[in-house]
Amino acid sequence: MAEATAAYKVIGTRPVRPDGADKVTGRAIYGADMRLTGMLHGKMLRSPHAHARIKSIDTSKAKALPGVRAVVTAHDMPKAEDRMANLGEMAVNVKHLSNNALAYDKVLYRGHAVAAVAATNVHIAEEAVGLIEVDYEVLPAAIDVLDAMKDDAPILHEDLKATELGQQTDKVSNVVNHFQFKLGEPGTGFEEADVVIEREFDTATVHQGYIEPHNATAMWNEEGHLSVWTSTQGAFVVQRQVAEVLGISVSQVSVTPCEIGGGFGGKISVYLEPVAAVLSRQTGRPVKIVMSRIEEFEGTGPTPASHIKVKIGATNDGRIVAAEAALMYEAGAFPGSPVTAGAMCIFSPYAIPNMQVDGYDVVVNKPKTAAYRAPGATNAAFASETIIDEIAEQLGMDPLEIRRLNGAKEGDRQVHGPTYPRIGYLETVHAALEHEHYQSPLTGPNRGRGVASGFWFNVGFQSTVVINVNSDGTVSLVEGSTDIGGTRASIAMQAAETLGIPYEDVKPTVAGTDGVGYTDVTGGSRTTFATGYAAYEASQDVIRQMRERAAERWNRESEEGDSAAQLAADDVSYSDGVFRCAKDPSKTMTFKEMADMMPRTGGPITGRATSQPRGVGGAFATHVVDVEVDPDTGKVSVLRYTATQDVGTAIHPSYVEGQIQGGAVQGIGWALNEEFVYNKDGSMVNASFLDYRMPTTLDLPMIDTVLVEVPNPGHPYGVRGVGEVPIVPPPAALANAIYRATGKRMKNLPMSPTYILSQLEQE
Amino acid sequence: MQTFDYVAAQTVDEAVSLLASKGDQARVLAGGTDLIVQLREGRRQLETVVDVKKIPEANVLSYDAQNGLHLGAAVPCHRIYNDPVISKTYPGLMDAFTLIGGIQIQGRASVGGNLCNSSPAADSTPTLIAHRTMCVIAGPSGQREVAAEQFCTAPGRNVLENGEFLLSLRVPAPPKNFGAHYLRFIPRNEMDIAVVGVGSSLVLGDDNSTVTDARISLGAVAPTPLLAVEAAAALVGKPISDDTIAAAASAAAGIARPIDDMRGTIQQRIHLTGVLTRRTLQGALSRARGES
């Protein structure tokens, strides 16, 4: 546990979050709480088929139902253009985005939205949805990534040409993109190896499982201005997507981000917002749409199922000399799986001289995938980290020792090219090795201990922060980053540290698109890093202005008295909340006094900064887990769990620990029981939290955390991204533990009792 | 959600006449933890919902050593397991009543409703069967009784005729040297539907070894909960041992005829039937001997 170091007064402490009380007392306004005068309620009609052509849609009966004000289909939306729009963390094809919100001529997955109703209450809207008649021509579906890659597979997009190693081809295929990263000569590398292990793995589709469903309220007023209230990871990204889909300018759209009940990458893409907008334009009323949990599972973006081949070779002394991987990821109904990120991450914890990774982005008749916490990396690490474990076993090495021997450090290269700056991977391995958990023997039958490591990026992108100084010496901080994991606190703490004032004197507000400058999504583990950077710069801007005013003030005082040399801002220092004159130690002024004097020293003081930081600090994690496997049932009990992570500087250690615990828990769920179960027609059959089995508190031990602080040299306070990497190691760590408990190597996720029992029965 | 009429019947006769007049357009509501969800998700269309929680006979909860347990069909789980005498007398019933849904669900859900929902995976039904429970049914021609193992006829279907509803359950007082145990297998540790559930009971002779009676009931391995007569036959009249328990487990697995679905495979369910039969018999034995 990290504690405040002498270097900092605020950073490293554990204050209460500013939004906490309103959230636990039910006063916080979430998207579904929106109530506007005259508001109508919307409901979507969704496809019962995994793949079908829409021959006709008859909305007349639905429109005739009393209380129904509008029924819309894709034909009520502007015809979407087939072009890419850059959305910060991702780029999307506008046509695909629009056709995903409302299917145009084909439905591409069960749950694909086909039409929408606005009515005076939600029950009438629901009834009207049942009165819409759609004539479908049902088509064969491609449900599984390997099936979809076959030459004779049903084709989802007849107009989509495959890209092969960077070149667009004329081939129409579900494999929309194949790319390759290469470093060194893997062929030669494997010749050097004494041990080579090659295996194939399959992982199932999983959902982020955020507790709050997607929602959108839209009001298109008489002047043609569209206002949207929604739960999102980024108001500006919603603004841009809505404008693109509706063919209007971003200045015609205002987006207010409501409080958000979890996102994990799943609340970046828009689903309901453009539809609510079109319904509002047709009715002249505000329209609210809220998804049910079934719609969440069937109609939003999960993270992909995948098929992965990995081959790793090592010498007898434990040096990994070559590694190859092929990652086949399901994109869902439209291109854009996180396979690229998976390919970049798969071997990132290691310095391997010869590497090759092939990635395949494959469309299938399932919902369009979205980001999910370190998107793409968890699937990949499950495969690579179990093989590293097997190599260590064959060489008779401790699995952490082989990681220490081969671990990446400053100056080593990732497979896609970049050279690492200062990173803390080896420190996480060392922390795990030295930890009392790893040092304690694990005894008892059917028990095993496993370890695994993982890497995830940290991105910069763009942020804006404005700091308004109040007359009482507090400041109001306005930012555009949705607060999902305690970032109001972590950003306010960086401002307080820089301003030299108490944390409680910084009042943070998350503003919408009308209230703050452009800010990218809360995603890519960037907010505490990049928006925190902007808060640091905006705070410096405040101090700079105050130093100028202090100099001017003292100059005026001097003019009244004896004549002294003119002071400049450089002659004023600031520390511990006090401005001091370098030339006259008797002249001091506190931050509070400066704030109080603003009307007499030139008016309000506002500090502002935008950031687009490049010095990103990627993060590594190494996890240790003990399990017991019931040999009669195949059920895994997680006995003990310790997660070590290089967190850079932990601004608010409790929230960093919370991120690590949350990520580890999601990884445990992904590992053991979570999966979209499909029937042969391509329908998901477990679209509820009853049968989509996320872990409950009774399924988990305490997740112990070890914060390893290797500051990021690219940030004034050493911040790294911390929120995503903890989901990466758990499936592999559990697979390795299950192997030691059962003698069976796991090749599928989830490692459910059904799967493990089937493996135990194989001799 | 669809619109429907809600009637809180005050008497048995009122409920019977409403149900008789509305036929399959009416359905009884007790806790509502199944019915309301079915209505909200459009899985069931109804004109009338008849709440039986106001009917005194459906709310009875009494126990005495002569008559055993009399359990009104609308009594929620929490009232039963919070009764110190009943929970101590019937630990084999409490195994199931304390794990239906979760704490919040148990505040509403009734054991009678669990039986009337007639899911093959219902947690309380196998243990009711193992306890020789009788179902008291009220209807247009008075009351009748049906053994719990006869109550369910197919998934979601049961012996209730038009105008009838389940009024209460009668569970015999446990005889001397009686022990019962219910276990289910779920992938998580709560909030789940049984992949397989097994309720077993044993009565031992004065030697504390010879099995004089045994009942083994299997859930989620057939269209209805099963009474595994073949498994009991492997035990009755013999001294209990690991071998006889293994024989009973094997016989139970032999009559399981499950389906493949998202909760489990045929092979897994047959295997688990044997595992849970063995474990519940060991648990029942331990209770019969007063060891737990």
Side-chain angles (χ1 to χ4, degrees):
Chain A
M1 189 190 286
E3 289 302 342
T5 61
Y8 298 127
K9 290 196 163 56
V10 180
I11 287 169
T13 64
R14 299 169 184 252
V16 170
R17 58 197 293 163
D19 47 314
D22 277 355
K23 282 180 175 165
V24 298
T25 54
R27 293 186 202 285
I29 304 294
Y30 290 84
D33 294 325
M34 287 305 299
R35 278 185 190 77
L36 299 175
T37 304
M39 188 175 79
L40 300 174
H41 297 264
K43 269 281 163 195
M44 313 295 295
L45 172 70
R46 293 178 182 276
S47 168
H49 305 298
H51 195 191
R53 204 171 299 284
I54 300 171
K55 292 165 76 178
S56 64
I57 304 176
D58 183 350
T59 61
S60 56
K61 285 183 189 159
K63 281 179 174 159
L65 187 72
V68 172
R69 298 301 167 90
V71 183
V72 299
T73 69
H75 295 277
D76 296 288
M77 306 245 279
K79 183 116 166 74
E81 290 177 50
D82 191 1
R83 62 180 175 80
M84 300 304 286
N86 187 1
L87 300 174
E89 200 187 21
M90 55 172 189
V92 296
N93 181 301
V94 175
K95 183 175 140 191
H96 295 163
L97 189 62
S98 175
N99 290 356
N100 198 33
L102 278 174
Y104 188 69
D105 53 354
K106 272 172 94 180
V107 288
L108 294 167
Y109 54 95
R110 180 191 161 102
H112 197 164
V114 173
V117 173
T120 48
N121 71 48
V122 71
H123 305 290
I124 294 172
E126 224 168 63
E127 197 179 339
V129 162
L131 296 174
I132 300 171
E133 292 168 357
V134 185
D135 188 10
Y136 293 104
E137 177 194 345
V138 178
L139 303 170
I143 300 302
D144 170 81
V145 62
L146 291 180
D147 289 342
M149 291 177 82
K150 290 176 183 161
D151 283 338
D152 59 348
I155 294 292
L156 275 76
H157 301 278
E158 289 90 352
D159 60 343
L160 205 59
K161 303 283 178 16
T163 301
E164 172 69 23
L165 299 178
Q167 302 295 315
Q168 190 173 330
T169 68
D170 283 334
K171 195 181 176 194
V172 174
S173 166
N174 293 326
V175 185
V176 292
N177 187 17
H178 166 219
F179 62 89
Q180 187 177 83
F181 298 134
K182 194 171 173 186
L183 190 72
E185 280 305 325
T188 319
F190 281 113
E191 283 169 20
E192 252 187 83
D194 299 306
V195 181
V196 176
I197 292 178
E198 181 173 12
R199 297 210 181 281
E200 299 193 21
F201 302 84
D202 289 286
T203 76
T205 304
V206 297
H207 199 273
Q208 301 86 354
Y210 38 75
I211 197 70
E212 177 208 29
H214 274 273
N215 56 78
T217 303
M219 175 64 220
W220 205 318
N221 77 8
E222 287 73 6
E223 293 174 309
H225 190 85
L226 174 63
S227 297
V228 175
W229 295 262
T230 185
S231 299
T232 175
Q233 292 178 231
F236 288 90
V237 173
V238 170
Q239 179 191 43
R240 178 74 188 274
Q241 290 177 89
V242 168
E244 295 280 3
V245 168
L246 298 176
I248 58 180
S249 162
V250 289
S251 63
Q252 288 173 278
V253 185
S254 302
V255 177
T256 304
C258 300
E259 286 298 341
I260 181 168
F264 310 108
K267 287 192 181 141
I268 298 172
S269 183
V270 296
Y271 300 96
L272 302 174
E273 291 85 347
V275 180
V278 170
L279 287 168
S280 176
R281 183 162 57 178
Q282 287 211 359
T283 58
R285 302 249 222 131
V287 176
K288 176 165 86 172
I289 313 179
V290 181
M291 285 196 197
S292 68
R293 187 57 59 181
I294 293 173
E295 290 181 286
E296 277 292 339
F297 279 115
E298 294 188 342
T300 67
T303 208
S306 56
H307 181 80
I308 301 175
K309 292 185 202 175
V310 177
K311 180 179 172 186
I312 299 177
T315 56
N316 278 331
D317 59 0
R319 281 184 308 113
I320 300 170
V321 288
E324 274 180 5
L327 280 58
M328 288 145 263
Y329 280 30
E330 293 178 359
F334 298 96
S337 78
V339 66
T340 313
M344 292 172 177
C345 291
I346 185 164
F347 299 127
S348 280
Y350 307 103
I352 305 174
N354 306 293
M355 291 188 274
Q356 179 176 320
V357 183
D358 286 83
Y360 301 84
D361 190 34
V362 184
V363 289
V364 296
N365 291 112
K366 290 182 182 176
K368 163 77 176 80
T369 55
Y372 178 21
R373 207 168 197 156
T378 305
N379 315 41
F382 169 61
S384 55
E385 289 292 293
T386 53
I387 291 185
I388 298 277
D389 193 72
E390 201 170 342
I391 286 178
E393 184 202 11
Q394 290 214 359
L395 295 175
M397 288 182 77
D398 179 287
L400 285 177
E401 285 297 346
I402 197 171
R403 288 172 168 84
R404 183 146 76 171
L405 184 63
N406 293 283
K409 55 191 182 306
E410 186 171 356
D412 289 327
R413 286 185 71 188
Q414 289 177 282
V415 69
H416 57 291
T419 301
Y420 282 122
R422 177 76 172 95
I423 51 172
Y425 174 53
L426 289 171
E427 286 81 351
T428 71
V429 177
H430 183 75
L433 264 168
E434 297 295 312
H435 197 275
E436 179 269 329
H437 179 176
Y438 202 69
Q439 297 287 327
S440 308
L442 176 65
T443 55
N446 307 311
R447 293 183 170 188
R449 173 171 296 159
V451 303
S453 297
F455 166 78
W456 184 253
F457 308 92
N458 171 212
V459 299
F461 297 151
Q462 306 165 78
S463 288
T464 305
V465 167
V466 174
I467 293 176
N468 298 306
V469 179
N470 300 318
S471 59
D472 61 0
T474 66
V475 302
S476 299
L477 184 154
V478 185
E479 46 156 320
S481 289
T482 301
D483 181 357
I484 308 185
T487 52
R488 281 186 182 89
S490 67
I491 290 161
M493 288 172 76
Q494 292 178 68
E497 186 73 48
T498 315
L499 290 170
I501 62 177
Y503 162 77
E504 292 73 17
D505 286 355
V506 181
K507 315 287 178 191
T509 299
V510 177
T513 56
D514 292 344
V516 67
Y518 184 86
T519 299
D520 275 307
V521 293
T522 292
S525 296
R526 66 174 288 276
T527 299
T528 300
F529 168 71
T531 306
Y533 207 133
Y536 167 81
E537 297 274 359
S539 301
Q540 297 285 17
D541 191 22
V542 168
I543 292 166
R544 181 186 54 75
Q545 293 175 53
M546 286 190 171
R547 285 166 61 212
E548 282 171 5
R549 290 194 188 195
E552 284 170 20
R553 174 93 189 162
W554 286 327
N555 284 338
R556 276 207 301 281
E557 285 171 0
S558 301
E559 283 158 18
E560 287 159 15
D562 58 313
S563 58
Q566 285 286 300
L567 297 168
D570 284 350
D571 298 319
V572 181
S573 69
Y574 181 66
S575 62
D576 298 333
V578 181
F579 293 90
R580 292 183 176 82
C581 178
K583 295 180 176 170
D584 182 354
S586 71
K587 292 189 190 316
T588 64
M589 224 177 323
T590 66
F591 188 91
K592 274 196 185 320
E593 286 165 347
M594 279 304 305
D596 184 52
M597 285 192 292
M598 284 189 297
R600 301 184 297 283
T601 59
I605 296 176
T606 289
R608 52 158 289 279
T610 63
S611 73
Q612 199 172 21
R614 307 284 181 193
V616 294
F620 292 86
T622 299
H623 292 191
V624 182
V625 61
D626 296 347
V627 303
E628 182 172 325
V629 182
D630 183 335
D632 287 339
T633 66
K635 182 167 168 171
V636 174
S637 298
V638 185
L639 304 174
R640 186 169 182 189
Y641 204 103
T642 302
T644 73
Q645 185 174 320
D646 171 20
V647 300
T649 301
I651 299 295
H652 191 304
S654 297
Y655 297 167
V656 173
E657 288 155 7
Q659 289 289 333
I660 294 173
Q661 290 168 329
V665 165
Q666 287 187 312
I668 291 169
W670 190 339
L672 295 182
N673 281 306
E674 293 183 36
E675 68 179 310
F676 279 38
V677 182
Y678 283 88
N679 66 16
K680 61 179 180 1
D681 302 326
S683 293
M684 184 184 180
V685 294
N686 63 329
S688 76
F689 276 148
L690 179 62
D691 288 312
Y692 180 86
R693 299 187 179 99
M694 298 178 74
T696 72
T697 51
L698 296 186
D699 301 311
L700 298 160
M702 178 65 185
I703 308 292
D704 288 319
T705 59
V706 178
L707 306 186
V708 179
E709 295 192 287
V710 179
N712 170 19
H715 185 279
Y717 292 123
V719 172
R720 291 183 191 275
V722 299
E724 292 176 274
V725 74
I727 199 174
V728 180
L734 282 158
N736 295 336
I738 291 166
Y739 168 72
R740 290 196 166 64
T742 65
K744 300 289 180 186
R745 286 281 173 195
M746 301 287 109
K747 299 180 199 78
N748 282 21
L749 294 182
M751 299 175 288
S752 64
T754 308
Y755 173 70
I756 292 177
L757 195 60
S758 74
Q759 298 302 298
L760 293 177
E761 283 167 356
Q762 281 177 13
E763 282 311 322
Chain B
M1 188 156 81
Q2 59 197 294
T3 55
F4 54 81
D5 290 334
Y6 166 86
V7 183
Q10 305 295 314
T11 65
V12 172
D13 288 347
E14 186 187 354
V16 167
S17 76
L18 261 168
L19 291 167
S21 67
K22 297 286 182 185
D24 61 6
Q25 286 302 301
R27 186 101 180 154
V28 168
L29 172 109
T33 56
D34 286 311
L35 186 66
I36 298 297
V37 177
Q38 291 162 3
L39 288 168
R40 193 172 59 215
E41 293 181 355
R43 284 188 279 149
R44 196 185 278 285
Q45 306 288 327
L46 292 177
E47 283 175 13
T48 308
V49 166
V50 182
D51 189 344
V52 297
K53 287 196 290 293
K54 304 271 160 56
I55 301 173
E57 295 93 320
N59 272 305
V60 62
L61 180 65
S62 69
Y63 170 78
D64 64 67
Q66 258 67 50
N67 300 303
L69 174 65
H70 190 197
L71 172 58
V75 176
C77 291
H78 81 98
R79 268 186 68 199
I80 311 170
Y81 62 65
N82 282 326
D83 182 304
V85 173
I86 293 170
S87 70
K88 187 160 177 287
T89 309
Y90 295 99
L93 291 179
M94 300 314 129
D95 290 338
F97 300 173
T98 53
L99 56 67
I100 291 173
I103 296 285
Q104 294 93 332
I105 295 288
Q106 290 154 17
R108 300 281 306 173
S110 68
V111 174
N114 195 224
L115 185 57
C116 291
N117 191 53
S118 300
S119 161
D123 281 312
S124 65
T125 311
T127 194
L128 290 174
I129 292 171
H131 283 79
R132 293 186 180 278
T133 300
M134 295 300 290
C135 310
V136 182
I137 295 168
S141 44
Q143 294 188 2
R144 64 181 178 120
E145 294 202 5
V146 171
E149 60 269 28
Q150 304 293 333
F151 189 82
C152 298
T153 55
R157 307 178 82 91
N158 53 50
V159 297
L160 293 174
E161 303 276 352
N162 189 30
E164 288 189 328
F165 72 101
L166 181 68
L167 188 61
S168 63
L169 300 166
R170 289 190 180 277
V171 187
K176 190 181 167 208
N177 296 342
F178 173 89
H181 190 35
Y182 174 77
L183 283 175
R184 67 174 178 185
F185 179 75
I186 57 173
R188 290 186 291 196
N189 290 321
E190 65 166 347
M191 297 300 286
D192 227 325
I193 306 273
V195 178
V196 174
V198 177
S200 295
S201 70
L202 287 171
V203 182
L204 302 178
D206 290 338
D207 62 357
N208 236 350
S209 170
T210 307
V211 176
T212 60
D213 189 19
R215 304 263 291 178
I216 294 153
S217 177
L218 317 176
V221 295
T224 64
L226 298 178
L227 176 61
V229 179
E230 299 84 345
L235 298 165
V236 175
K238 297 171 191 155
I240 192 96
S241 69
D242 287 350
D243 288 346
T244 60
I245 287 175
S250 169
I255 68 157
R257 42 194 164 90
I259 56 168
D260 272 326
D261 67 10
M262 73 244 185
R263 298 188 183 122
T265 62
I266 291 171
Q267 195 184 0
Q268 178 190 13
R269 284 185 158 122
I270 291 173
H271 172 82
L272 289 172
T273 302
V275 171
L276 294 185
T277 300
R278 170 166 54 81
R279 291 181 179 178
T280 54
L281 283 170
Q282 285 162 343
L285 177 64
S286 165
R287 282 172 177 165
R289 287 174 168 167
E291 293 164 358
S292 63

